[in-house]
Amino acid sequence: MSSPNDAQEPVFVRSNWGTSRYVLNANSPVGLFLIVVLLLLAGGGVYYFYTSTRWSEGELHDAVYAVTDELDGAYDDSPEGLESGYSSGYAGRIERAIEATGEGPAHAIGLRVHEASDDRYEVSTAHTKDVYCMHVSREDYLVSAEVTDGAC
């Protein structure tokens, strides 16, 4: 049976570990509730951090197709398709454009864009199994882009 003093358990008690700090009292209903809530919040924070630093298949798919739509029909008057600040060919441009979509983790963590051939680029991430092949070409300053699922 519970006594009337059970409801009067303090929420905080002095630590039994030799310090004078106060800790949550698991014998108090309010203290136990706070312990459970804090554990759930900590677990949720860890899960949010984990998902915000990794690519999902959907995020990569959406980003690659958005960049393809953006590049297709774009005007490019730079020599040989090179823009200042970008790496060789369109690889750097594709990488920065994917980062600009806002899909996936901030700063495109784990994104891999590499030139498979003269005008084909493979886009993948360290966190997904999906690979996309982007075909980017330029004729008379007009960029043509298309994407297919799978490696080039």
Side-chain angles (χ1 to χ4, degrees):
M1 286 196 164
S2 63
S3 68
N5 291 336
D6 287 346
Q8 302 301 323
E9 280 282 335
V11 176
F12 295 98
V13 293
R14 285 197 186 268
S15 172
N16 292 331
W17 291 31
T19 65
S20 61
R21 292 185 174 181
Y22 281 89
V23 295
L24 286 170
N25 182 6
N27 293 328
S28 166
V30 174
L32 184 60
F33 173 77
L34 290 174
I35 290 170
V36 170
V37 167
L38 289 172
L39 286 173
L40 289 173
L41 285 173
V46 169
Y47 179 74
Y48 172 76
F49 179 74
Y50 175 80
T51 59
S52 68
T53 58
R54 301 179 82 74
W55 284 90
S56 71
E57 278 81 6
E59 289 172 333
L60 181 61
H61 177 272
D62 293 347
V64 168
Y65 278 87
V67 167
T68 303
D69 291 343
E70 179 186 321
L71 285 176
D72 192 36
Y75 180 75
D76 184 8
D77 62 354
S78 58
E80 301 298 322
L82 297 173
E83 293 188 0
S84 61
Y86 294 118
S87 60
S88 67
Y90 284 97
R93 184 174 185 178
I94 293 168
E95 189 171 326
R96 288 184 190 250
I98 288 175
E99 185 176 336
T101 63
E103 295 284 343
H107 310 295
I109 298 169
L111 182 68
R112 298 177 184 154
V113 178
H114 70 276
E115 194 168 344
S117 67
D118 288 341
D119 57 356
R120 296 189 186 276
Y121 301 87
E122 283 189 356
V123 181
S124 62
T125 69
H127 312 120
T128 61
K129 296 178 285 185
D130 294 346
V131 177
Y132 296 92
C133 181
M134 289 186 71
H135 177 246
V136 182
S137 60
R138 188 178 86 155
E139 185 175 323
D140 296 331
Y141 303 110
L142 193 60
V143 177
S144 173
E146 58 185 39
V147 66
T148 58
D149 294 356
C152 295

